[in-house]
Amino acid sequence: YTVGRKMLRAAWSRLSRKAVSRHGQRPLSLFSSPGPSNWNKVVSDAEKIVGYPTSFISLRCLLSDELSNVAMHVRKLVGTQHPLLHTARGFVFDSKSNLQMRGLIVLLLSKAAGASRSASGLPPQDMVSGIYPSQRNLAEITELIHTAFLVHRGIVDLKEWTVSDGPLKDMQFGNKMAVLSGDFLLANACTGLAQLDNTKVVELISSAIGDVVQGLYYENCNGSENGVLQAIDMATWEEQAFLSHGALLAKSCQAALELARHDGQSQSLAYQYGKHLSLGHKLNSDLQPFVKSSTGEPALFSLFSAPVVFHRQIIGEDQWHQQLQQAKTRRNHLDYSKLLAAVKSEKGVSSSVDLCRYHSNKALEAIQAFPSSEARSALENIASAVTKF
């Protein structure tokens, strides 16, 4: 892993050293917010329990000859502002804050649940650190799928292209590379999924891919000019947030227990843990611009983040539209400092904090049925960490 990581860092360094993109300012992972140092400690301790670091769990695929060929073409983007380079740089260099948590949680749940009594066809001697090889393969597949969607998210909407973004041909070429490399990762994930030879697991992960696609569609609709003015409540927000940020983890957790032939109740608990942990962390991520003290320009935030949606519910859509108009500058841009102050003046932030704690508690409840162990304690620490701001 150490040698491979150095090779990958060196390769992407040449590709992305000059890349700066205003389009690519998206979180690179569900768990990519910088967060306090205790979060990194929680993760580091958890990785020791499952046997090896998972921050580069999909390294084998990333170092393949096929992806190396793609990387050679991506070199042509050096010096442009295409977000594909930003995504690649963040994935490789931000290892401390871009931890691939989905794979780690799948492995921790696998170990916490242990071997099932009905798993007569699965010899215990095949387990390594209390985890079956098929469960480790599932963790890698989950990360490959997530990484593929990260790459696809970097596709630039050419309708919004301006001269300041650089030559149009660079954006077009970058989009082609983003589609190609993302599809390559998805193809590898689907191949690995078929090799697990479990129909139910294939159905679960396939449906999760569909959920993510649907969730991203909602995100794009919300981000459009018409979407900004469309009313939304927290029930809709949670539904859409689960599709784009929680379905893959929740269904991967359930699939991990299916591979060990656990009963439906245990699988449901694993699903609930993944679901509530994902929503808790999405809320934590949405809250960051509102709870952190910043100097200089305020951090940008989504107009469909949880605090804003709560704020819109509290004051009503008519007043919200007035606040949007008041926050517009002469160039028709939004003054986020005014919007930030408006949202913080009501109870949108405190309501989001309360909801984050609710989902953290629900995740903790879900794993209490599993035997007490180091793995369960690590899962509890991770669920508790999402409430730290």
Side-chain angles (χ1 to χ4, degrees):
Y1 276 96
T2 302
V3 175
R5 179 171 173 173
K6 289 180 178 178
M7 290 170 59
L8 190 60
R9 287 174 66 106
W12 279 117
S13 175
R14 293 191 296 271
L15 296 178
S16 58
R17 189 175 293 118
K18 298 179 182 179
V20 178
S21 172
R22 68 178 177 84
H23 293 284
Q25 302 302 317
R26 291 171 174 164
L28 291 172
S29 168
L30 168 66
F31 302 97
S32 64
S33 56
S37 59
N38 68 314
W39 172 260
N40 290 337
K41 184 179 185 304
V42 166
V43 172
S44 178
D45 292 342
E47 287 181 330
K48 296 173 185 176
I49 295 171
V50 298
Y52 59 84
T54 57
S55 297
F56 282 81
I57 200 170
S58 52
L59 187 60
R60 181 177 62 187
C61 175
L62 292 174
L63 288 175
S64 66
D65 292 337
E66 292 89 345
L67 198 61
S68 296
N69 291 332
V70 174
M72 291 297 293
H73 290 288
V74 176
R75 288 182 62 185
K76 298 176 183 178
L77 291 175
V78 172
T80 73
Q81 298 186 47
H82 198 281
L84 176 58
L85 292 178
H86 176 86
T87 301
R89 182 178 178 85
F91 180 75
V92 176
F93 285 91
D94 298 341
S95 58
K96 290 184 178 180
S97 58
N98 184 31
L99 298 164
Q100 296 186 349
M101 288 292 299
R102 286 170 180 79
L104 175 60
I105 290 167
V106 168
L107 296 178
L108 285 171
L109 265 171
S110 300
K111 184 163 185 174
S116 170
R117 295 178 182 177
S118 60
S120 55
L122 300 174
Q125 58 265 29
D126 286 349
M127 302 180 81
V128 178
S129 296
I131 303 168
Y132 288 110
S134 60
Q135 292 172 320
R136 292 189 182 275
N137 291 338
L138 175 64
E140 180 177 335
I141 290 166
T142 301
E143 284 301 343
L144 283 177
I145 293 170
H146 175 60
T147 305
F149 278 109
L150 287 181
V151 174
H152 280 162
R153 279 190 176 200
I155 296 174
V156 175
D157 185 356
L158 297 180
K159 293 179 181 178
E160 299 178 358
W161 174 84
T162 61
V163 177
S164 62
D165 296 326
L168 179 60
K169 63 179 182 178
D170 290 340
M171 295 295 113
Q172 292 172 330
F173 179 76
N175 280 357
K176 293 177 182 178
M177 287 295 98
V179 171
L180 176 62
S181 51
D183 287 352
F184 169 78
L185 293 173
L186 272 178
N188 273 268
C190 292
T191 300
L193 193 59
Q195 291 172 349
L196 292 178
D197 196 25
N198 187 303
T199 303
K200 184 175 179 181
V201 170
V202 172
E203 291 176 353
L204 281 169
I205 303 303
S206 298
S207 66
I209 292 174
D211 289 339
V212 176
V213 172
Q214 186 177 356
L216 295 180
Y217 170 78
Y218 286 137
E219 282 188 4
N220 290 334
C221 290
N222 291 339
S224 67
E225 186 174 349
N226 292 332
V228 171
L229 300 176
Q230 186 176 351
I232 184 174
D233 56 25
M234 279 307 298
T236 303
W237 180 92
E238 284 195 276
E239 178 184 344
Q240 295 180 3
F242 171 72
L243 290 173
S244 58
H245 292 81
L248 179 59
L249 178 59
K251 294 184 177 181
S252 294
C253 291
Q254 180 180 351
L257 268 61
E258 164 63 23
L259 288 172
R261 301 182 185 176
H262 283 276
D263 58 29
Q265 183 180 4
S266 297
Q267 291 183 32
S268 177
L269 291 172
Y271 175 92
Q272 291 299 322
Y273 178 85
K275 172 186 176 180
H276 290 292
L277 179 67
S278 300
L279 289 174
H281 200 285
K282 178 65 171 69
L283 285 155
N284 182 296
S285 177
D286 282 4
L287 279 162
Q288 292 304 312
F290 301 91
V291 298
K292 284 192 171 181
S293 57
S294 58
T295 56
E297 294 185 5
L300 300 181
F301 54 88
S302 169
L303 298 183
F304 285 86
S305 61
V308 176
V309 174
F310 266 123
H311 177 71
R312 292 170 66 169
Q313 279 191 178
I314 293 169
I315 67 172
E317 289 299 314
D318 290 340
Q319 189 174 344
W320 167 245
H321 293 162
Q322 291 178 8
Q323 290 182 348
L324 282 178
Q325 289 298 322
Q326 293 169 0
K328 284 187 177 180
T329 63
R330 292 181 179 178
R331 296 184 178 181
N332 210 31
H333 294 162
L334 284 176
D335 184 344
Y336 278 86
S337 61
K338 289 184 179 179
L339 284 179
L340 186 71
V343 174
K344 292 174 74 171
S345 68
E346 296 288 347
K347 295 183 178 180
V349 175
S350 60
S351 297
S352 298
V353 170
D354 290 341
L355 187 60
C356 179
R357 289 171 178 162
Y358 166 80
H359 284 295
S360 173
N361 290 332
K362 295 296 288 185
L364 289 170
E365 289 177 14
I367 55 173
Q368 294 310 305
F370 296 125
S372 180
S373 64
E374 281 187 321
R376 197 186 83 173
S377 296
L379 291 168
E380 291 171 345
N381 291 338
I382 290 173
S384 298
V386 301
T387 62
K388 308 298 182 184
F389 303 102

